[in-house]
Amino acid sequence: MNSLRKIPQLRLLIIFMLVVAVCAVLEPVLLSGENIQSALTTYIVEIALVTVGQALVMITGGIDLSVAGVLAVVGICVGTLSAAGMPTYVLVLAGLGIGLFCGAFNGLVVTRLGVPPIMVTLATGILFRGIAEGLANGKYFIEYPSDFVQLGQGTWWILPAQVWIAAVVILILGIGMRTTRYGRWIYATGANLRAARLSGVPVHAARISVYVLSGTLSALAAIVMSARLNSAAPDMGVGLELASITAAVLGGVSVFGGTGSLFGVLLGVVTIAALRSGLTLRDVAADIQNIGIAALLLIVLLLDRAPLLTTLRARRSPRPEPPTKEEHELGAIAVADGVADTPPLPDRAAHP
Amino acid sequence: MTDTAVRDKAPRKQAFAVLFNRDNTLLGVLIVFVALVTVIQPRFLQWGNIVLILASAAILGVVALGEFLVIISGAVDISIGAIVAVSAVITSVAIQAGIPAVWSAVIGVFASAALGWLNGILVAVAGLPSVVVTLATLGLIRGLLSLFFSSAPLTGGQESFGWLWTPRVLDLPPAVLLFAGLALLVGGLLRWTQLGRNIFAVGSNESAARIAGVPVRRIRVLTFAIAAVLASIAGLLIVGQQSMIQLGQAGSGFEFLAIGAVVLGGVDIFGGSGKVRGAVIGVLLLYSIYNAMVLAGIDAAWQDAVVGLLILVAVIIDTNRARFSRRSGRR
């Protein structure tokens, strides 16, 4: 029991298996190769790419509300270039470059100008989608070179092309987060920005880098999505910012930063995908599926605070009551966003 | 917080401090903006157009008042747009079922308030972060709405609540007066009541507030519930405004627009400071910009980009103004 609890995301793993088991009993088609393949392409790859970026940002204690906006602007730019007759490698490179630029912009505003991430990315999210709408100007794009389309519709060996792309990217990031010094910087920055800086972690670079990664991953998702759908419209990926936060939180990433693993995040994405796929097979409409996902999120969050587990822990090793999340909240956010870098203002509480 | 800067004895920097005062900056921006647009397009400042701006701002304005309260208390409510839809849908369903308009409205408001209360309980008692809780309840509420009230567009509420939009005093529809009244009410609540003081205290430093004897949990629950009631009033305004719409979609995207407007109004996103004036001006600025862009003939496709850019510039100026006055206040 003791060693079992050391497995990260054990609870989510159990829930995932429960979801799969229940859905598979009700709809055996769920586990057919064909269904898994369609679930991978429609529910997993693109959301996983975006969610991994979101999770990296959240681990540093930030949040990226602009992922869907980046996805739209990249999709539209790639579509425009494609309509102009550009070859595939130009489309991919340009798309990734734009995503990288958008992410770098977020990161620079957050670190150099000291604006809280939630405010920056809220604004840039609206801005990026606005640019996508402006560039598209009511049009949508349906012309792509055939080898570009292969990125989202082709099959390499036994799996869809985009699964390989996502798997390689996420594997590299996952290993990087676990084994490299860079990975430890990210965690340290999110756990305690000030302490990290004082112990020599290049916190600015670390924070900028996660926004860059998030932007680039969203761009990759945009490329895969355009290729899969063979089209791009300015409303592509609407709601993905919230979906990615949901999946990341479900996967054990704390909104206060410092914790979470990409394995857990993937598990979160896959659990949601299994639930969506199962509900789709039962002919449940997409927005009604949200009830299930929201309920799942609440259950997992409440389980984390379940009295049963608390008492179990307390019985084994009596320890002082930890500060509640609420008590933690303001301090943690303030530190993570550099607000607490300067001494608190004297009359903050005495506001009229 | 700029008060400290003003009070300090750095006379040369005082002028700067006044200029960079949060409220003054925003009001200045609004005035300069209005002046500029008026020069380009004199129609902008005609009363008819002003009424148009006010009327278009009323719905989001009422929602933003609620979001403002939640943000002041140090939390954030992403489910607020869905709560708008709840009252709109339930009220019009009740009207269709033959219940008198007043009681339908009461039912709608209570349903919304219950959801706000649920948000508050989950945040305050279960101790979950408000972003995540309201993210979940957003999905939950929207899902339940489309589960139970999906299909046909709901009509019938327009006759009962249309009066909210028929011009009265000075051509202003009652909806605008309602927005103004609610803004004053929220301002009064924050300024003069113990509840208001407590909301500031909780948003400013929750642990300190608890130790000082503020009933933190009750304040949190109440804040979310009040925000939901305000959102439900916005829902009633929507019922009166449109006769043939998919009410289930009402208020979608409001969560980010409302937060954006509040932030544009210079309210601290981490809670504990901000003024109703700021939130109201933020909303008005947002809709003045939309209106001005239409008048200036800017392509509708680019409007969101301009608004996003504006919010970005506003938050950058606002954050760095705070830094500046902090520094000048200390030296």
Side-chain angles (χ1 to χ4, degrees):
Chain A
M1 190 65 203
N2 201 8
S3 58
L4 260 185
R5 213 171 323 97
K6 282 187 183 144
I7 300 175
Q9 268 67 60
L10 176 66
R11 213 167 296 145
L12 183 58
L13 200 59
I14 296 171
I15 288 176
F16 168 66
M17 291 194 280
L18 273 177
V19 169
V20 172
V22 170
C23 292
V25 167
L26 292 173
E27 294 284 341
V29 193
L30 183 83
L31 293 178
S32 71
E34 206 175 315
N35 188 61
I36 289 179
Q37 191 144 331
S38 91
L40 275 170
T41 51
T42 46
Y43 298 121
I44 296 184
V45 168
E46 289 145 19
I47 295 177
L49 286 170
V50 174
T51 306
V52 164
Q54 179 74 262
L56 291 174
V57 174
M58 286 170 75
I59 289 172
T60 63
I63 194 161
D64 191 348
L65 296 177
S66 72
V67 284
V70 173
L71 192 134
V73 81
V74 170
I76 292 302
C77 288
V78 169
T80 313
L81 289 174
S82 172
M86 294 291 172
T88 302
Y89 70 94
V90 174
L91 299 183
V92 173
L93 287 180
L96 293 178
I98 293 164
L100 189 145
F101 173 78
C102 292
F105 182 75
N106 280 335
L108 285 172
V109 176
V110 168
T111 54
R112 298 294 159 187
L113 297 174
V115 185
I118 188 170
M119 285 156 77
V120 176
T121 56
L122 175 73
T124 56
I126 299 173
L127 173 65
F128 294 152
R129 187 168 298 281
I131 292 174
E133 285 165 358
L135 287 174
N137 199 7
K139 291 193 297 285
Y140 55 95
F141 300 90
I142 46 167
E143 271 176 70
Y144 293 96
S146 60
D147 42 351
F148 179 84
V149 174
Q150 285 300 307
L151 295 175
Q153 294 180 5
T155 305
W156 299 347
W157 194 36
I158 48 167
L159 286 174
Q162 65 260 52
V163 175
W164 291 109
I165 300 174
V168 169
V169 171
I170 294 172
L171 199 66
I172 292 173
L173 283 172
I175 293 174
M177 286 297 283
R178 280 196 165 230
T179 59
T180 66
R181 197 192 303 171
Y182 172 73
R184 285 194 297 280
W185 285 347
I186 303 291
Y187 282 107
T189 306
N192 189 332
L193 185 77
R194 211 173 188 181
R197 194 181 49 208
L198 292 176
S199 30
V201 173
V203 285
H204 273 9
R207 292 177 83 196
I208 295 174
S209 73
V210 288
Y211 290 96
V212 168
L213 280 172
S214 174
T216 315
L217 286 166
S218 299
L220 191 57
I223 290 167
V224 167
M225 192 184 273
S226 315
R228 172 170 68 89
L229 301 170
N230 202 5
S231 71
D235 66 343
M236 65 197 291
V238 165
L240 215 52
E241 59 279 73
L242 296 181
S244 63
I245 296 171
T246 307
V249 170
L250 194 63
V253 178
S254 160
V255 284
F256 306 121
T259 59
S261 69
L262 295 194
F263 168 73
V265 169
L266 272 189
L267 195 55
V269 172
V270 175
T271 309
I272 291 178
L275 191 60
R276 278 211 188 276
S277 183
L279 289 172
T280 307
L281 289 174
R282 301 238 88 188
D283 284 333
V284 177
D287 38 352
I288 298 174
Q289 294 174 4
N290 291 338
I291 303 174
I293 289 157
L296 191 70
L297 180 63
L298 280 180
I299 289 169
V300 170
L301 285 171
L302 288 173
L303 273 182
D304 273 345
R305 306 184 61 84
L308 174 70
L309 281 163
T310 327
T311 39
L312 269 178
R313 265 182 218 145
R315 200 180 301 159
R316 186 128 31 73
S317 59
R319 57 171 188 178
E321 187 78 348
T324 62
K325 276 223 174 98
E326 314 131 48
E327 273 171 327
H328 214 68
E329 185 165 356
L330 288 163
I333 291 183
V335 170
D337 294 313
V339 173
D341 287 357
T342 43
L345 292 163
D347 60 345
R348 205 162 184 262
H351 206 282
Chain B
M1 50 176 72
T2 32
D3 297 352
T4 30
V6 178
R7 253 185 265 119
D8 245 74
K9 347 145 175 79
R12 262 194 307 137
K13 285 186 175 166
Q14 261 188 18
F16 260 128
V18 169
L19 232 163
F20 274 79
N21 180 301
R22 193 166 258 182
D23 301 320
N24 296 353
T25 325
L26 188 69
L27 207 59
V29 169
L30 186 62
I31 291 169
V32 169
F33 176 79
V34 167
L36 267 178
V37 178
T38 313
V39 169
I40 299 167
Q41 181 57 269
R43 251 194 307 159
F44 183 71
L45 217 54
Q46 279 173 10
W47 182 243
N49 191 50
I50 292 176
V51 170
L52 204 66
I53 295 175
L54 290 174
S56 60
I59 296 176
L60 185 73
V62 175
V63 178
L65 287 176
E67 189 68 65
F68 163 73
L69 280 176
V70 175
I71 289 179
I72 290 277
S73 79
V76 67
D77 189 348
I78 299 181
S79 69
I80 200 119
I83 293 178
V84 171
V86 166
S87 95
V89 167
I90 290 188
T91 304
S92 54
V93 165
I95 290 175
Q96 274 186 327
I99 299 171
V102 180
W103 288 108
S104 307
V106 170
I107 295 170
V109 171
F110 264 96
S112 295
L115 291 167
W117 181 81
L118 174 72
N119 275 336
I121 290 286
L122 284 170
V123 172
V125 179
L128 303 172
S130 57
V131 181
V132 182
V133 166
T134 53
L135 185 62
T137 47
L138 165 69
L140 210 60
I141 296 169
R142 288 260 178 230
L144 288 172
L145 278 181
S146 52
L147 180 61
F148 291 114
F149 306 105
S150 62
S151 52
L154 301 157
T155 56
Q158 218 264 333
E159 298 87 67
S160 315
F161 291 100
W163 59 271
L164 283 166
W165 294 99
T166 41
R168 288 280 164 82
V169 198
L170 292 172
D171 284 346
L172 287 170
V176 173
L177 304 177
L178 187 65
F179 170 39
L182 288 171
L184 290 177
L185 209 63
V186 169
L189 173 93
L190 286 177
R191 188 179 275 264
W192 288 306
T193 68
Q194 194 181 6
L195 174 64
R197 296 246 147 213
N198 283 344
I199 291 177
F200 273 116
V202 171
S204 193
N205 186 336
E206 188 171 337
S207 319
R210 180 177 302 130
I211 293 163
V214 174
V216 172
R217 289 182 173 179
R218 202 190 314 155
I219 299 295
R220 278 227 178 286
V221 176
L222 263 177
T223 318
F224 275 100
I226 295 173
V229 169
L230 287 167
S232 73
I233 294 172
L236 299 182
L237 293 181
I238 290 180
V239 171
Q241 190 186 36
Q242 284 134 327
S243 53
M244 280 287 275
I245 57 152
Q246 192 84 40
L247 281 176
Q249 295 305 314
S252 55
F254 269 25
E255 46 277 352
F256 288 150
L257 271 183
I259 298 172
V262 170
V263 164
L264 194 62
V267 176
D268 189 343
I269 191 83
F270 299 116
S273 84
K275 289 184 174 164
V276 183
R277 212 191 322 162
V280 171
I281 294 177
V283 176
L284 293 183
L285 193 57
L286 197 65
Y287 280 92
S288 307
I289 293 159
Y290 275 121
N291 180 278
M293 282 190 291
V294 174
L295 286 184
I298 292 178
D299 203 333
W302 285 99
Q303 285 181 4
D304 284 341
V306 175
V307 166
L309 190 64
L310 193 103
I311 296 179
L312 183 66
V313 171
V315 295
I316 289 176
I317 291 177
D318 196 48
T319 315
N320 291 284
R321 176 209 44 75
R323 277 181 171 183
F324 170 82
S325 55
R326 231 176 264 182
R327 226 176 289 144
S328 72
R330 246 156 245 294
R331 297 284 137 79

